[in-house]
Amino acid sequence: MTTISCTSPAEIKKDLSKLAKELGYTDEEITAGIEYADRAKRRSHPPGEWDKAGRFYAHEQTNSVLCCRNPSRAWPHSQMLTARTAAHCAEVYKADNTTHVRRIGTAYNKLLDGCENDAVVRLLTKGVRMRKAAMKALS
């Protein structure tokens, strides 16, 4: 298994992707997980536009965004908050499992915060046998 011993975000992404692929995560789940982590920690923002009343309208029209409340003067950020969730990022990147997206995002944030590699590996190895069996069945 890969150990992650780097400090720059680009190297962490690369090593996390390699580790996650070894554990049976898909490329879509990895990409969505990293985007979810960035959006949740406000390192990136969902695409959208603001109107004159300060309401945010997301450009990514997923089921998550369509099912949330419409922005109003009282609740202007409802679509922005929804566009920062793991479920929304999973829909945007066509990842099948939201739990896997959430795990990748949590692992990425832990690595950026300087958490030990063992804790991240333990987090990502949950359900690894089921993922590998599913991948083998698809092959």
Side-chain angles (χ1 to χ4, degrees):
M1 219 177 294
T2 305
T3 57
I4 301 171
S5 60
C6 52
T7 54
S8 76
E11 290 179 16
I12 289 175
K13 284 180 187 179
K14 181 180 164 189
D15 289 346
L16 178 63
S17 295
K18 184 176 178 183
L19 173 64
K21 283 181 187 177
E22 288 176 8
L23 294 173
Y25 289 91
T26 64
D27 291 333
E28 293 84 9
E29 291 167 345
I30 295 166
T31 306
I34 291 172
E35 181 64 25
Y36 160 65
D38 286 342
R39 286 184 183 187
K41 292 289 186 172
R42 309 303 198 260
R43 290 184 292 263
S44 71
H45 304 287
E49 58 188 46
W50 298 88
D51 68 0
K52 290 181 181 179
R55 295 176 288 236
F56 180 81
Y57 294 92
H59 285 192
E60 300 166 334
Q61 295 296 309
T62 62
N63 285 336
S64 301
V65 169
L66 294 174
C67 291
C68 79
R69 74 179 321 153
N70 287 328
S72 63
R73 288 186 187 266
W75 303 96
H77 303 113
S78 58
Q79 287 190 4
M80 177 178 285
L81 294 175
T82 301
R84 293 184 187 276
T85 63
H88 174 78
C89 291
E91 280 186 80
V92 169
Y93 290 98
K94 297 179 178 32
D96 294 331
N97 196 322
T98 304
T99 303
H100 295 170
V101 171
R102 196 172 292 113
R103 279 187 193 148
I104 295 283
T106 303
Y108 181 59
N109 283 333
K110 285 185 178 212
L111 288 170
L112 287 176
D113 293 341
C115 186
E116 293 181 13
N117 188 42
D118 294 338
V120 172
V121 171
R122 265 185 274 124
L123 173 70
L124 292 178
T125 54
K126 293 178 183 178
V128 82
R129 283 182 279 168
M130 288 176 52
R131 278 194 304 281
K132 287 188 175 181
M135 287 175 52
K136 192 178 248 185
L138 292 175
S139 299

